[in-house]
Amino acid sequence: MFCEKAMELVRELHRAPEGQLPAFNVREDAEDGLRQVLEEMKALYEQNQSDVNEVKSGGRSDLIPTIKFRHCSLLRNRRCAVAYLYDRLLRIRALRWEYGSVLPNALRFHMSAEEVEWFNHYKKSLATYMRSLGGDEGLDITQDMKPPKSLYIEHFLPRWKCEQLVRQGVLEHVLS
Amino acid sequence: MTEELDHTGQDSDADSEEVVLTPAELIEKLEQAWMNEKFAPELLESKSEIVECVMEQLDHMEENLRRAKKGDLKVSIHRMEMERIRYVLSSYLRCRLMKIEKFFPHILEKEKTSGEGELSSLSPEELVFAKQYMANTETYLKNVALKHMPPNLQVVDLLRSAVPKPDLDSYVFLRVKERQENILVEPETDEQRDYVIDLEEGSQHLIRYKTIAPLVASGAVQLI
């Protein structure tokens, strides 16, 4: 059935847990998921071209439903392929925020060359934005991902200095 | 705490408000913008003046700390305050960037078609970022897939296909800051009809975002 391979690509990502980046579906042999989808699209298109000619010159209007059906398959193939590629980009984007601008090698091997290029453009764009935020070096918003944990700072201070602040609730006496 | 800083009041941007905010008021405005942005389903107006002033504030605080006596208790407390402010500011800007990336075709389209007087939802730097993000993504999709597809299928209208729009019908919690009368609430289903409500100052509501979006922009309500 048409679009089988395209659906498989989508399913592969759907199965991968949130945030995980499976290896890009490219292998040395012919089992290249994306390439298969593109090949199927080429075949469908060529069949449609020839049928359209038949309809125009040979009056074969009975071919029209098939032409429409192939066109739907073409659209579906494109939609699945774009969804697969775009979803991967989103996962790669998340890696910048998780791991910083240098990705661990293991992850990089799961990315195609074009994905690595996208990632490099993305992190450059992000760096430019952060630098523009003012001050000397801008603001690194990939830091401070969690609210500051220490509401209380451990300090060794003479009690008389702190007592008033403890009463005001600004400081807490931590016994550890 | 921030009232104790020994520097003169804030200088807002020359071309926006003439109101001068105290440091405490500035941070309050930042926190309000932060919460609104967190809970609104769409990207809100850009608040560059607040961002700039807060960055300046952080610089001042850093300078004061450098001059202060080491080991002075005030130093730790001010540093704590600085971390807190930096967290809120970073979180606010992150939230905006995430929405920009999430809805980029729709946001860029709106920027293109918005009129002269309308307030932009993107700061100039965010606009550059958004355009680069779009160009990067379009180039990638074209090179990896689209240019290998049949000629009549090579252009994907990203606006309509791949990227969803923000869901303005999602529900939000809010607190009313300024009393509002005669807010029209549109029905969700066909069986219901429009009705009109008043929002009393200080009251809290759970309501569809679309109904009150302009009130968030005007500051009449605060998302919580």
Side-chain angles (χ1 to χ4, degrees):
Chain A
M1 195 60 267
F2 299 140
C3 306
E4 276 292 330
K5 198 64 202 174
M7 292 293 291
E8 215 181 279
L9 284 178
V10 173
R11 242 179 260 126
E12 171 195 304
L13 273 184
H14 190 71
R15 274 197 290 260
E18 167 108 25
Q20 255 197 44
L21 186 73
F24 189 81
N25 196 312
V26 167
R27 277 175 294 221
E28 243 75 53
D29 55 2
E31 298 248 58
D32 177 346
L34 181 65
R35 191 150 41 86
Q36 284 183 9
V37 172
L38 292 171
E39 273 168 16
E40 186 181 274
M41 287 180 77
K42 183 159 180 275
L44 286 169
Y45 178 72
E46 283 166 358
Q47 284 160 22
N48 259 7
Q49 289 237 284
S50 114
D51 278 7
V52 163
N53 282 334
E54 292 278 316
V55 169
K56 281 204 230 172
S57 54
R60 294 281 313 274
S61 50
D62 60 305
L63 292 174
I64 292 181
T66 319
I67 293 172
K68 286 191 178 167
F69 176 71
R70 285 200 203 99
H71 187 68
C72 286
S73 304
L74 280 165
L75 289 175
R76 175 165 261 254
N77 270 336
R78 182 177 71 175
R79 183 173 167 181
C80 290
V82 172
Y84 170 75
L85 294 169
Y86 186 64
D87 190 81
R88 284 183 61 89
L89 287 186
L90 294 181
R91 291 175 198 238
I92 290 168
R93 175 253 181 224
L95 296 177
R96 167 64 186 88
W97 290 84
E98 178 76 33
Y99 291 98
S101 49
V102 180
L103 291 184
N105 280 328
L107 283 173
R108 233 157 356 132
F109 291 146
H110 282 200
M111 289 162 59
S112 69
E114 292 85 0
E115 283 177 331
V116 172
E117 206 185 315
W118 185 91
F119 178 79
N120 288 336
H121 284 302
Y122 176 73
K123 68 178 185 181
K124 208 164 106 186
S125 191
L126 181 62
T128 304
Y129 169 74
M130 294 196 294
R131 249 194 324 268
S132 77
L133 289 171
D136 293 325
E137 304 140 10
L139 181 69
D140 185 353
I141 60 175
T142 66
Q143 304 297 315
D144 306 303
M145 295 290 273
K146 294 210 166 76
K149 235 188 291 204
S150 48
L151 285 177
Y152 309 109
I153 293 179
E154 278 161 20
H155 249 280
F156 296 115
L157 288 171
R159 185 185 289 275
W160 64 266
K161 265 195 179 173
C162 318
E163 241 173 35
Q164 210 190 42
L165 289 168
V166 170
R167 274 203 294 271
Q168 285 175 10
V170 173
L171 293 181
E172 179 181 280
H173 187 189
V174 176
L175 296 155
S176 59
Chain B
M1 265 303 129
T2 40
E3 282 99 344
E4 291 180 10
L5 293 175
D6 57 314
H7 66 93
T8 47
Q10 294 298 309
D11 243 9
S12 325
D13 251 5
D15 51 1
S16 56
E17 349 173 304
E18 282 112 43
V19 179
V20 171
L21 298 173
T22 67
E25 285 170 344
L26 173 66
I27 301 308
E28 198 185 320
K29 274 213 166 320
L30 172 67
E31 290 178 357
Q32 288 169 357
W34 173 58
M35 287 210 290
N36 278 340
E37 197 74 67
K38 247 166 81 107
F39 298 122
E42 63 175 347
L43 184 70
L44 299 178
E45 260 166 48
S46 153
K47 300 279 182 190
S48 308
E49 341 76 62
I50 298 183
V51 173
E52 266 175 53
C53 290
V54 171
M55 287 295 290
E56 262 176 46
Q57 167 105 318
L58 285 172
D59 277 343
H60 281 139
M61 288 174 90
E62 184 69 54
E63 233 184 84
N64 285 340
L65 286 179
R66 262 200 295 262
R67 287 193 267 123
K69 263 196 326 234
K70 249 183 112 84
D72 193 347
L73 183 60
K74 264 201 288 197
V75 169
S76 318
I77 295 179
H78 279 237
R79 203 163 275 296
M80 220 158 65
E81 179 70 0
M82 274 181 69
E83 266 179 43
R84 199 178 69 82
I85 295 172
R86 198 178 296 124
Y87 167 73
V88 173
L89 180 62
S90 296
S91 181
Y92 169 68
L93 293 171
R94 269 197 299 269
C95 181
R96 286 181 63 82
L97 269 193
M98 272 180 238
K99 285 189 201 174
I100 290 170
E101 290 174 7
K102 196 166 174 196
F103 304 122
F104 68 94
H106 311 287
I107 291 176
L108 285 171
E109 177 75 13
K110 206 166 104 169
E111 273 307 290
K112 245 193 324 183
T113 60
S114 80
E116 255 306 311
E118 280 173 46
L119 286 160
S120 173
S121 33
L122 295 170
S123 73
E125 297 79 21
E126 284 171 341
L127 180 61
V128 167
F129 177 83
K131 285 184 172 165
Q132 287 173 346
Y133 188 82
M134 174 140 184
N136 193 17
T137 305
E138 275 183 336
T139 304
Y140 168 80
L141 288 175
K142 199 171 79 174
N143 288 337
V144 173
L146 295 176
K147 77 177 182 199
H148 305 292
M149 290 187 181
N152 64 333
L153 288 166
Q154 286 188 7
V155 178
V156 176
D157 189 352
L158 283 168
L159 262 163
R160 244 160 263 142
S161 22
V163 182
K165 277 185 160 175
D167 180 12
L168 301 178
D169 286 322
S170 52
Y171 277 76
V172 293
F173 282 98
L174 62 84
R175 183 174 51 240
V176 181
K177 287 161 73 179
E178 294 161 18
R179 182 164 197 276
Q180 301 293 314
E181 292 181 354
N182 297 329
I183 303 297
L184 181 68
V185 180
E186 280 169 24
E188 276 177 88
T189 66
D190 288 329
E191 292 101 50
Q192 298 172 341
R193 301 170 55 195
D194 301 11
Y195 57 95
V196 153
I197 58 171
D198 292 338
L199 298 174
E200 298 298 327
E201 182 180 322
S203 62
Q204 293 177 174
H205 303 264
L206 175 63
I207 194 169
R208 233 178 314 144
Y209 175 76
K210 194 156 56 165
T211 310
I212 47 91
L215 301 178
V216 177
S218 71
V221 305
Q222 169 73 46
L223 296 184
I224 54 177

